[in-house]
Amino acid sequence: TVRVANNTIPNECNQEDFSQTACGFVVEFVDIVEERGMNSTNTNVGGWEASEMRTYANRAFFNKLPEDLRNVIIDTKVVSGHGSTTGETNFTTTDNIYLLSAHEVWKNNFGRDTAYDQTRQLDYYAENGVTTSKYSGAIKKNINGNASSWWLRAASSYSYNPFLYVTDDGNWYVDDANNSYGFAPAFRIG
C-alpha cells in the first residue's frame, strides 16, 4: 500500500542545492516492504550514495515494480547526509527509489543529519504534526502488522558506522549499518 506523501512545490524546492525528495508528487510506502541492512559491513562511509541499500532500491527493487508504475517514476535529485569521516560532504545522487531523510519525517532539527537544511518536511508528516516530541505519526508496520523500525538515508554525523532510523514508536535513533531494519522507500511521479 502506498500513499501520497507530498504534492506541493514550495519556493525552497527551486534552490540549486536542495533535494527534490520532498518536492512535487511524492509517493511513499505506508508500511515496511521488507527488512534489510543498509550495508553488509558496518560502515556509513560514502553515505546513502555508496550504500548497498541504494543499489538494491534502484536496481532489484525498482525492477520488481509493475512496468506501468516504473514508466511514470521520475529521476529525483537526492541530497543525503554524511558520517563523521574527515573530508566528507553531503552526497547528491539521482535516484528513482530513495529512503526518506530526517527532515522529511520530523519538523525539528536534532543535529544528526548534515543535510537537514537541504530538504523539507513532507506534507503528510507536516499535516500530522510529526516532530521529535510528537512522533506517533511516523510509525510503520512490518509484514506481520506490528510496529517496527525503518531506515532513513542519512548517515549519522557523529560516527563512521551508523545510519539514522525511525524507531517502532516513531521516534529517531541511530544504529549500525549492518543491522536489519525496515525498507520503506519513496519515489516521485511526473
Side-chain angles (χ1 to χ4, degrees):
T1 303
V2 295
R3 67 175 158 230
V4 175
N6 197 80
N7 60 12
T8 60
I9 306 174
N11 288 337
E12 61 218 316
C13 290
N14 298 319
Q15 298 171 14
E16 186 176 322
D17 64 344
F18 204 74
S19 186
Q20 297 300 297
T21 49
C23 299
F25 196 80
V26 178
V27 177
E28 75 167 318
F29 283 85
V30 172
D31 289 312
I32 294 165
V33 177
E34 58 188 272
E35 293 188 2
R36 55 189 315 113
M38 288 293 285
N39 285 311
S40 58
T41 57
N42 189 18
T43 184
N44 69 15
V45 175
W48 166 251
E49 180 177 38
S51 72
E52 293 169 15
M53 182 76 83
R54 177 176 175 255
T55 300
Y56 171 75
N58 286 282
R59 292 185 187 162
F61 181 77
F62 181 75
N63 289 328
K64 290 180 189 178
L65 298 174
E67 184 178 1
D68 57 341
L69 178 57
R70 289 193 315 260
N71 290 338
V72 296
I73 292 175
I74 61 173
D75 287 347
T76 300
K77 178 182 180 179
V78 178
V79 178
S80 56
H82 63 83
S84 65
T85 304
T86 302
E88 281 194 342
T89 58
N90 291 334
F91 302 100
T92 301
T93 57
T94 301
D95 299 321
N96 294 119
I97 305 292
Y98 54 90
L99 297 183
L100 300 183
S101 75
H103 194 174
E104 290 162 7
V105 177
W106 300 286
K107 181 178 180 178
N108 43 333
N109 189 350
F110 47 89
R112 295 281 180 128
D113 183 357
T114 59
Y116 185 87
D117 292 332
Q118 290 179 280
T119 190
R120 60 184 285 273
Q121 190 175 34
L122 288 161
D123 295 344
Y124 172 82
Y125 294 99
E127 290 163 4
N128 284 286
V130 177
T131 68
T132 55
S133 58
K134 181 185 172 208
Y135 41 77
S136 63
I139 294 172
K140 291 187 185 250
K141 296 179 180 178
N142 62 22
I143 59 172
N144 298 321
N146 301 318
S148 191
S149 300
W150 49 285
W151 284 116
L152 299 172
R153 70 176 182 266
S156 173
S157 62
Y158 284 58
S159 185
Y160 62 89
N161 58 357
F163 279 82
L164 279 75
Y165 72 94
V166 181
T167 62
D168 59 3
D169 64 356
N171 204 349
W172 71 272
Y173 206 67
V174 299
D175 206 355
D176 296 340
N178 59 343
N179 286 330
S180 287
Y181 289 117
F183 173 68
F187 54 88
R188 290 195 316 152
I189 292 179

